[in-house]
């Protein structure tokens, strides 16, 4: 049907050619929102976020008891274990059997740990599961943000240990706020106008808490700089989705009961695993939305990168290389990836790809890691030796596989003429230094 073809064409091409600078604020926000949603959906399948969520689900199953044990131990040290247990049951309201089982495991673990039964290998295994979970979460977020370098072990241990010890305090404070609102609500039941407002605020507390958790996670978990303003909306979306998932599980008890009738008490485990995977999927989709929001202008060009001709790729590579060489020749500070993108006017995705090609061709040296803001680039040799011809030769011949099967067939008179023409072409370009462009 014609309207279907027009809709597909709009999302594939027309949407990305809209000049948002000429639109009103409302229309610009609407167009950018559609772009964020479309790019997030594309990235969901391209990055295989569902598989990432499955890996995190497995890590969570292994680590949930030792993590809960740390939280409960800290809470008991302050005398607030009752509040932590209540919060834990509320957080797993849709999984009451799992909540009771985990609390039982934690209490047993703490009793045995205090009596000295769990030592050595058992303790090491527990700590390993916690480290594996946190490192897997960071790795998943880094994959979404296309960051190659993870945190140093010392910094990671300090950060995550601080989180585990602060988490009980945060839980106690938020629980106290909920109790205060509930108490005020009970005391103002007879006030017609105030009571519904307080009741609404009490109902919104879980949404606010989940949203804050996701916002903090999106800002601090990736090993790169994430701007707060781009994490707020994805955090709220993920927080609301998480709470709706809870409500869905709570209000689908009829289906759960039939599932229990088939699998008995064993049904709690697969249902809990399904809930965990859906929760991690929501979390990762929010992280992807955060990345897309912060890099919208660069990602909007992704669908056209593959359409750039070889001729124009060479021109853009020469532009980037000339900026790098000029900075070095003039004794100026080398440029970072972001600065090269701004000076050249190229989209970030194209800048990354061309810089990678120039590095693989041994034309530039990299100080840092790709996709890091503090990464800078310098010529791999003296700028007197970097000519346009050298750049073309290296970019066109640099490959991991060099075919030899056609060598005998390319040795004819005309082929030798072709080789000579290309050699003359490169020699002519070698008279032009890239820094002079």
């Amino acid at each position: 049907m014609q309207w279907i073809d027009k809709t597909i064409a709009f999302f594939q091409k027309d949407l990305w050619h809209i000049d948002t600078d000429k639109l009103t604020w409302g229309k610009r926000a609407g167009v950018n929102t559609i772009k964020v949603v479309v790019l997030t959906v594309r990235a969901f399948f391209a990055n295989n976020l569902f598989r990432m969520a499955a890996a995190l689900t497995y890590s969570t199953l292994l680590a949930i008891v030792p993590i809960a044990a740390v939280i409960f131990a800290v809470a008991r040290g302050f005398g607030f274990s009752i509040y932590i247990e209540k919060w834990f049951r509320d957080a797993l309201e849709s999984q009451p059997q799992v909540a009771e089982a985990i609390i039982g495991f934690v209490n047993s673990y703490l009793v045995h740990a205090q009596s000295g039964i769990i030592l050595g290998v058992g303790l090491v295994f527990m700590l390993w599961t916690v480290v594996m979970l946190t490192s897997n979460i960071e790795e998943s977020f880094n994959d979404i943000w296309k960051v190659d370098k993870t945190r140093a072990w010392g910094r990671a241990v300090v950060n995550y240990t601080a989180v585990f010890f602060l988490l009980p305090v945060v839980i106690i404070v938020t629980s106290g706020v909920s109790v205060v609102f509930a108490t005020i609500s009970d005391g103002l039941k007879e006030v017609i106008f105030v009571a519904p407002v307080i009741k609404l605020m009490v109902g919104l507390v879980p949404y606010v808490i989940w949203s804050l958790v996701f916002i903090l996670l999106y800002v601090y978990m990736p090993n790169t700089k994430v701007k707060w303003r781009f994490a707020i909306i994805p955090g709220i979306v993920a927080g609301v989705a998480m709470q709706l998932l809870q409500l869905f599980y709570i209000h689908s008890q009829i289906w759960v009961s039939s599932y229990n009738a088939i699998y008995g008490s064993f049904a709690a485990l697969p249902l809990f695993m399904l809930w965990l995977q859906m929760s991690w999927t929501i979390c990762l989709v929010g992280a992807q939305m955060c990345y897309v929001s912060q890099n919208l202008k660069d990602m909007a060009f992704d669908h056209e990168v593959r359409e750039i001709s070889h001729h124009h790729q060479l021109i853009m590579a020469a532009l980037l290389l000339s900026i790098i060489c000029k900075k070095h020749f003039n004794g100026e500070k080398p440029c970072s990836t972001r600065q090269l993108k701004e000076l050249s006017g190229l989209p970030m995705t194209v800048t990354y790809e061309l810089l990678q090609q120039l590095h693989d061709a041994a034309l530039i040296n990299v100080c840092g890691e790709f996709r890091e803001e503090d990464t800078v680039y310098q010529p791999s040799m003296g700028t007197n030796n970097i000519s346009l011809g050298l750049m073309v030769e290296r970019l066109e011949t640099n490959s991991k596989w060099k075919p030899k099967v056609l060598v005998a067939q390319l040795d004819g008179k005309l082929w030798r003429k072709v080789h000579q023409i290309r050699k003359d072409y490169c020699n002519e370009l070698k008279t032009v230094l890239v820094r002079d462009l």
Side-chain angles (χ1 to χ4, degrees):
M1 300 176 69
Q2 191 175 6
W3 68 272
I4 296 179
D5 295 335
K6 288 183 177 179
T7 303
I8 294 174
F10 172 77
F11 284 108
Q12 287 182 343
K13 292 185 177 181
D14 299 342
L15 176 63
W16 314 105
H17 293 285
I18 297 176
D19 188 359
T20 55
D21 293 334
K22 297 180 180 179
L23 300 177
T24 61
W25 181 89
K27 291 182 178 179
R28 186 188 307 118
V31 170
N32 288 337
T33 300
I34 295 174
K35 288 182 178 180
V36 168
V37 172
V38 172
L39 290 172
T40 301
V41 173
R42 285 184 186 175
F44 177 86
F45 295 101
N47 295 337
N48 208 343
L49 296 187
F50 205 70
R51 186 178 64 182
M52 284 188 191
L56 291 174
T57 299
Y58 172 74
S59 300
T60 304
L61 282 175
L62 290 178
I64 191 168
V65 172
I67 289 177
V70 172
I71 296 174
F72 275 64
V74 174
R76 287 182 181 181
F78 288 100
F80 295 113
S81 58
I82 297 177
Y83 297 102
I84 293 295
E85 286 192 18
K86 182 181 182 303
W87 174 87
F88 200 79
R89 288 190 175 93
D90 291 340
L92 293 176
E93 186 179 3
S94 60
Q95 309 288 328
Q97 290 178 301
V98 175
E100 294 300 327
I102 292 175
I103 291 175
F105 289 146
V106 168
N107 290 330
S108 177
Y109 171 75
L110 292 176
V111 169
H112 290 150
Q114 290 175 357
S115 62
I117 296 176
I118 298 180
L119 294 171
V121 177
L123 182 60
V124 171
F125 175 76
M126 290 294 185
L127 292 175
W128 175 77
T129 57
V130 175
V131 173
M132 187 179 70
L133 175 61
T134 52
S135 62
N136 284 347
I137 295 173
E138 181 182 345
E139 184 178 349
S140 298
F141 276 66
N142 287 343
D143 287 343
I144 290 173
W145 280 87
K146 297 178 173 55
V147 177
D148 299 325
K149 186 171 62 176
T150 58
R151 285 181 175 87
W153 273 99
R155 179 185 170 194
V157 170
V158 172
N159 290 350
Y160 298 143
T161 302
V163 170
F164 288 136
F165 280 95
L166 286 175
L167 189 57
V169 178
V170 175
I171 292 173
I172 293 168
V173 172
T174 54
S175 299
V177 172
S178 300
V179 171
V180 170
F181 276 115
T183 304
I184 294 175
S185 177
D186 292 336
L188 297 176
K189 283 183 178 179
E190 299 179 357
V191 181
I192 299 176
F193 297 105
V194 178
V197 175
I198 299 296
K199 186 177 181 180
L200 177 63
M201 293 177 67
V202 172
L204 289 177
V205 168
Y207 294 89
V208 175
I209 293 175
W210 276 114
S211 298
L212 289 175
V213 168
F214 283 118
I215 291 172
L216 293 173
L217 197 64
Y218 296 154
V219 171
Y220 291 110
M221 184 55 69
N223 190 27
T224 188
K225 185 178 180 180
V226 181
K227 298 179 181 178
W228 281 92
R229 68 177 184 271
F230 296 110
I232 293 176
I233 293 180
I236 294 174
V237 171
V240 172
M242 189 68 189
Q243 191 62 23
L244 292 178
L245 176 64
Q246 290 273 60
L247 295 176
F248 170 77
Y249 264 79
I250 292 171
H251 294 290
S252 60
Q253 292 302 315
I254 297 177
W255 174 72
V256 173
S257 300
S258 61
Y259 198 77
N260 288 336
I262 299 173
Y263 292 96
S265 59
F266 183 74
L269 179 60
L271 288 173
F272 180 58
M273 291 178 65
L274 180 61
W275 177 79
L276 275 179
Q277 179 147 357
M278 294 176 69
S279 301
W280 277 120
T281 302
I282 291 172
C283 176
L284 294 177
V285 168
Q288 186 67 65
M289 186 181 297
C290 181
Y291 170 76
V292 170
S293 300
Q294 185 164 319
N295 300 278
L296 181 59
K297 291 184 178 179
D298 301 325
M299 290 193 68
F301 196 81
D302 278 352
H303 70 293
E304 295 181 1
V305 172
R306 62 182 180 274
E307 301 173 4
I308 300 175
S309 67
H310 176 67
H311 169 72
H312 288 100
Q313 286 190 38
L314 288 177
I315 292 177
M316 289 186 289
L319 175 59
L320 290 173
L321 188 56
S322 68
I323 297 173
I324 296 172
C325 289
K326 284 179 182 177
K327 293 284 185 181
H328 182 77
F329 181 74
N330 295 329
E332 300 177 16
K333 185 178 179 180
C335 287
S336 65
T337 310
R338 180 69 59 178
Q339 290 169 333
L340 286 170
K341 179 256 182 187
E342 294 173 353
L343 291 173
S344 64
L346 300 176
M348 183 63 78
T349 50
V350 178
T351 304
Y352 279 135
E353 183 177 338
L354 294 176
L355 288 172
Q356 183 70 66
Q357 292 179 15
L358 291 171
H359 176 259
D360 293 341
L363 291 167
I364 60 174
N365 290 328
V366 179
C367 302
E369 297 289 338
F370 274 104
R371 299 187 181 277
E372 288 290 319
E373 292 195 2
D374 57 352
T375 298
V376 295
Y377 305 89
Q378 292 184 330
S380 61
M381 62 189 79
T383 57
N384 292 330
N385 299 320
I386 302 181
S387 64
L388 194 58
L390 178 66
M391 186 203 77
V392 171
E393 276 187 346
R394 290 197 176 184
L395 289 178
E396 290 185 341
T397 59
N398 181 58
S399 63
K400 295 181 180 179
W401 179 64
K402 300 184 185 297
K404 300 179 180 180
V405 292
L406 299 178
V407 173
Q409 301 178 23
L410 303 180
D411 196 31
K413 182 178 180 180
L414 286 179
W415 279 116
R416 287 196 294 271
K417 182 178 180 180
V418 169
H419 291 319
Q420 187 60 45
I421 291 173
R422 187 184 183 283
K423 185 177 180 180
D424 295 339
Y425 160 73
C426 289
N427 288 335
E428 187 68 23
L429 288 178
K430 285 180 180 179
T431 62
V432 180
L433 295 179
V434 174
R435 74 180 187 212
D436 295 332
L437 291 176

